[in-house]
């Protein structure tokens, strides 16, 4: 039976149990993070067929005019095509592979006029026109020497297309080296993603306040989206998935979701009363996603060709976020001011890192566009995540203190059952109920005064606890048990879990529940007396009364139950008197 609001279910550990569960979840999460990091950081031994050979192969190429240049600076003609050659005579490279990364280029590699590698990936419509980047390790067959030719073509005009990191090296070693360089990116993404998931779970399952729940979930969602956006451009994820086109599509779709997650988080942090800006950005984000789907999946364009609309939504989201901050400055408490300062610091760091990446991208070509953003993202999540988790635990501690105080007020210290004050709360609640019914069962342990005088108060307390335990085991699963004072107890079967098509049928079923509890009570009491663990055999007379919510008052039903209990007690005493007289 569920306990409502101020009533305390003594069998429920409450916030303490939730905190234990929360700590276990955090421990598991940390273990998973450590395990994931160890898995990807620990390299296995690689047998290098080239005895550790690694030679730069970038600046040994010639174009059709026999002009020497670097492959990473490849120039395309007006048709978006290029052809380059190189001659290899170094015998140390016979077992080596030609290794490089390609960006938005399709190409073939020929050795002495024979094609040994043809890279023309079939792109699904959902991936757009380009695959972004990919890794290639091409075995070059040669005896004394070889003429290598690369014929390349841009996927479409207007996109950056190039090669980089060009080496003659063992293929496995090349891939591991690239992964090692970007391992910090994966670790940061894993940490941010884990924090994001944890915040979402905390908000959904543990936070009771609706505004705080939305705040935690929106921060967690933004952290996850940012983690996915920054990681989808890394070599590690592309190599693990084997699908750079899918990674690029995820990158653009996660980018489209950043604006709505960001402004939602801002509105929660400033506790905005009017959140129409969130609705505006949300609607535009939905339109943006539809535009992406139509342009890429239907008309055959690339994501970069419709990226301008996403950038416009970003700019609008920034403006509306500033509006929310300014419009909700009134009546700030010290807590809100502190929260806003942290939020502004986190957003400034994240925005500054994003601007730094844009500057580097346009000034220094062909570099990672998310390098600084990753650092800003870690700082952003660390600052706001610390605030959210710290606030959550403070709230949980206050809730635990409130529950402990509630238990002290509503719980009987000797038996652990609910007390008369808790019964008064229940009585006030059903006083105004319009339909339903419940059953009152009053109990009283006989001869407690004589037992205390003869065996002491400690023995008396033990008998009260034993009697309370019998009543609780018998009626507690189907109702609530109260210690009304001294040796008197009250069980209430409130009928909340009783089913029936009509009121009469529900009441009849409730009476059947009472009968089952009564039979169990008689059995439990007989078993207790038979065990002989108490100094005396205890008697617990009881009386039952039914209360229909629509008629009468709970006080009348309670008095009826007390009257029947007293009648039962009198009958027991009369029976004992007659038996004593007969024995004498």
């Amino acid at each position: 039976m569920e306990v409502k609001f101020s009533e305390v279910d003594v069998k429920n550990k409450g916030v303490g149990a939730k905190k234990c569960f929360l700590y276990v979840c955090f421990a598991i999460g940390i273990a998973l993070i450590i395990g994931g990091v160890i898995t990807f950081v620990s390299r296995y031994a690689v047998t290098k067929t080239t005895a550790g050979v690694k030679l730069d192969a970038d600046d040994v190429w010639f174009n059709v005019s026999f002009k020497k240049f670097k492959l990473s600076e490849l120039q395309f003609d007006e048709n978006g095509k290029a052809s380059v050659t190189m001659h290899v005579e170094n015998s140390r490279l016979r077992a080596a592979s030609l290794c490089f990364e390609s960006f938005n280029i399709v190409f073939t590699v020929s050795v002495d006029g024979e094609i040994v590698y043809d890279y023309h990936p079939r792109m699904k419509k959902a991936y757009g026109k380009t695959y972004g980047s990919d890794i290639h390790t091409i075995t070059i067959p040669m005896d004394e020497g070889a003429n290598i030719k690369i014929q390349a073509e841009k996927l479409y005009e207007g996109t950056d297309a190039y090669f980089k990191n060009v080496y003659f090296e063992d293929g496995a070693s090349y891939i591991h080296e690239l992964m090692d360089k970007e391992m910090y990116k994966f670790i940061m993404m894993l940490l941010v993603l884990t924090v994001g998931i944890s915040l979402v779970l905390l908000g959904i399952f543990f936070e009771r306040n609706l505004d705080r729940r939305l705040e935690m979930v929106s921060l967690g969602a933004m952290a996850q989206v940012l983690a996915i956006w920054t990681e989808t451009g890394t070599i590690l994820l592309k190599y693990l998935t084997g699908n750079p086109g899918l990674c690029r599509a995820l990158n653009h779709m996660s980018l489209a979701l950043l604006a709505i997650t960001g402004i939602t988080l801002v509105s929660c942090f400033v506790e905005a009363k009017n959140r129409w800006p969130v609705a505006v950005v949300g609607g535009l984000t939905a339109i943006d996603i539809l535009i992406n789907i139509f342009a890429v999946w239907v008309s055959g364009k690339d994501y970069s060709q419709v990226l301008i609309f996403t950038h416009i939504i970003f700019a609008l989201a920034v403006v509306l976020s500033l509006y929310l901050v300014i419009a909700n400055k009134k009546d700030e408490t010290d807590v809100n001011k502190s929260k806003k300062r942290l939020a502004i610091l986190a957003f400034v760091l994240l925005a500054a890192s994003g601007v730094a990446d844009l500057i580097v991208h346009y000034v220094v070509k062909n570099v990672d566009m998310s390098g600084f953003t990753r650092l800003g993202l870690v700082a952003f999540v660390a600052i706001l995540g610390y605030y959210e988790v710290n606030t959550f635990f403070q709230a949980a501690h206050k809730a635990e203190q409130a529950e402990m105080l509630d238990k002290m007020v509503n719980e009987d210290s000797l038996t652990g059952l609910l007390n008369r004050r808790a019964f008064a709360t229940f009585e006030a609640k059903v006083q105004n109920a319009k339909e339903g019914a419940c059953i009152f069962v009053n109990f009283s342990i006989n001869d407690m005064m004589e037992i205390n005088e003869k065996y002491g108060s400690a023995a008396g307390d033990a008998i009260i606890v034993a009697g309370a335990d019998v009543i609780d085991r018998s009626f507690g699963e189907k109702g609530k048990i109260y210690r009304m004072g001294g040796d008197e107890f009250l069980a209430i079967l409130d009928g909340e879990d009783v089913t029936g098509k009509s009121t009469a049928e529900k009441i009849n079923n409730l009476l059947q529940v009472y009968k089952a509890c009564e039979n169990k009570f008689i059995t439990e009491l007989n078993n207790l007396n038979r065990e002989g663990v108490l100094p005396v055999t205890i008697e617990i007379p009881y009386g039952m009364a039914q209360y229909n919510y629509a008629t009468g008052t709970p006080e009348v039903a309670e008095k009826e139950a007390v009257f029947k209990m007293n009648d039962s007690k009198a009958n027991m005493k009369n029976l004992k008197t007659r038996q004593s007289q007969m024995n004498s």
Side-chain angles (χ1 to χ4, degrees), residues 412 414-417 444-449 451-452 457-472 483 485-489 528 534-536 538 540:
D412 177 60
L414 178 62
T415 63
L417 299 177
S444 177
I445 302 176
N446 279 344
D447 303 324
M448 284 305 304
M449 184 179 295
I451 292 172
N452 283 322
S457 59
D461 288 347
I463 289 174
I464 288 176
V465 171
D469 187 51
V470 168
I471 297 170
D472 188 39
R483 185 185 181 195
D487 56 10
E488 292 191 2
F489 301 87
L528 175 65
L534 299 174
V536 296
I538 65 172
I540 308 178

Side-chain angles (χ1 to χ4, degrees), residues 156-217:
Y156 74 96
E157 191 61 35
T159 184
D160 291 333
Y162 53 90
F163 297 100
K164 78 171 187 178
N165 292 327
V166 189
Y167 292 95
F168 275 113
E169 188 180 3
D170 174 78
S173 298
Y174 177 80
I175 292 172
H176 276 285
E177 287 173 4
L178 291 180
M179 289 185 178
D180 285 348
K181 289 180 181 179
E182 294 190 344
M183 185 55 62
Y184 77 95
K185 300 177 183 178
F186 174 78
I187 294 173
M188 285 193 291
M189 182 277 298
L190 184 63
L191 290 172
V192 172
L193 188 63
T194 303
V195 170
I197 294 173
S198 300
L199 287 171
V200 170
L201 294 178
L202 276 176
I204 293 175
F205 295 107
F206 294 96
E207 182 56 58
R208 297 179 181 179
N209 183 278
L210 182 60
D211 291 332
R212 289 273 306 127
R213 181 185 302 170
L214 182 60
E215 186 176 296
M216 294 183 71
V217 171

Side-chain angles (χ1 to χ4, degrees), residues 506-550:
K506 289 181 179 180
I507 293 175
N508 182 63
N509 292 338
L510 181 59
L511 290 172
Q512 292 181 12
V513 170
Y514 163 73
K515 191 63 179 177
C517 293
E518 181 186 33
N519 292 335
K520 186 175 182 181
F521 168 73
I522 295 172
T523 301
E524 291 284 350
L525 183 59
N526 289 336
N527 290 339
L528 175 65
N529 287 325
R530 191 179 302 112
E531 290 172 359
V533 295
L534 299 174
V536 296
T537 299
I538 65 172
E539 296 175 340
I540 308 178
Y542 60 93
M544 181 272 282
Q546 180 181 317
Y547 168 53
N548 295 328
Y549 294 162

Side-chain angles (χ1 to χ4, degrees), residues 104-161:
N104 300 324
I105 300 176
V106 292
F107 60 92
T108 58
V109 178
S110 303
V111 177
D112 295 331
E114 182 178 350
I115 295 177
V116 296
Y117 193 81
D118 186 359
Y119 187 74
H120 287 77
R122 294 181 179 180
M123 300 291 295
K124 293 184 178 180
K125 287 186 177 180
Y127 300 163
K129 285 186 175 181
T130 64
Y131 59 82
S133 64
D134 204 354
I135 309 170
H136 310 274
T137 57
I138 306 167
T139 301
I140 305 297
M142 67 176 83
D143 292 325
E144 296 300 325
N147 292 309
I148 303 174
K149 182 178 182 180
I150 298 179
Q151 292 178 297
E153 181 180 0
K154 284 185 177 183
L155 283 172
Y156 74 96
E157 191 61 35
T159 184
D160 291 333

